[in-house]
Amino acid sequence: MSARLLVLHHSPTPLLRELLDAVLAGARFDEIEGVDVDVVEALSATVDDFLTADGYLLGTPANFGYMSGAMKHAFDSTYDDTRGKVSRRPFSFWIHGRSDTTGARRSLESITTGLEWRLAAEPVEILRAPTDAQREALTELGGTLAALVASG
C-alpha cells in the first residue's frame, strides 16, 4: 500500500495554478516511488482527506493578510474531527502574495501547530511574479515532501 501526500490548495488564477504545477512536478518525480499524490482544492476538502493522508502540502494566496478564505474553510470544516488524529505528520506550504505573506504564514503555522503537525521542509513564500529560482524551490518542495512521505 502506498503512502499518501495530500496537496491541498487554493489556486483560482493562472499564476497560482502555475505555482501548483511546479509543486506537483516535484511531487510526481518518477524517481519517487511508494507515494500517491492526492490533489484537492481547498473548498472540496473533507475530514477523510486529512485522516487518510500521511503528509500534507498546503498552497494558498495571501489575501488581506491571511490565508485564502477557501483554505480557512478547509480547516474550519475539518479541524475538530481531525485534531488529535493526525499528530506528528509532516507538512509544509507555499504562499503567494502581492505585497506581504506574513499574516498568511502566521495563520497556517497557528492551525498546523494546533494539529500538532511537524514542519518537514522550509516553506516557499513568493511576492509578486515568481522567479525561476522560486519555481525550482517549489518543485524541490514537492519532491521533498513526497520523498519524506514515501519513506515513512
Side-chain angles (χ1 to χ4, degrees):
M1 183 171 212
S2 292
R4 187 168 164 265
L5 174 63
L6 174 62
V7 178
L8 183 69
H9 70 97
H10 182 62
S11 306
T13 66
L15 174 61
L16 293 171
R17 179 59 69 173
E18 176 187 329
L19 303 181
L20 171 65
D21 289 344
V23 168
L24 293 177
R28 293 176 172 156
F29 277 142
D30 290 338
E31 295 82 5
I32 302 172
E33 297 179 356
V35 63
D36 292 325
V37 178
D38 191 11
V39 183
V40 175
E41 300 230 4
L43 288 174
S44 300
T46 66
V47 170
D48 193 53
D49 289 324
F50 286 96
L51 294 177
T52 60
D54 299 293
Y56 311 93
L57 197 44
L58 313 170
T60 185
N63 293 334
F64 305 107
Y66 202 72
M67 72 178 93
S68 72
M71 186 66 70
K72 183 175 184 311
H73 172 77
F75 286 112
D76 283 346
S77 61
T78 61
Y79 187 86
D80 288 339
D81 293 321
T82 58
R83 193 169 46 119
K85 299 175 184 169
V86 293
S87 300
R88 293 177 293 287
R89 294 184 187 173
F91 86 102
S92 193
F93 56 88
W94 75 95
I95 302 170
H96 177 267
R98 292 183 186 168
S99 61
D100 186 28
T101 59
T102 306
R105 181 178 181 131
R106 186 172 36 250
S107 63
L108 284 174
E109 288 173 339
S110 177
I111 289 170
T112 55
T113 296
L115 291 168
E116 299 178 339
W117 291 355
R118 64 178 175 82
L119 186 63
E122 183 62 32
V124 176
E125 297 177 64
I126 299 170
L127 294 177
R128 294 176 276 296
T131 65
D132 288 342
Q134 289 169 323
R135 284 185 189 89
E136 289 174 21
L138 289 170
T139 301
E140 184 176 320
L141 181 65
T144 298
L145 260 289
L148 284 170
V149 169
S151 68

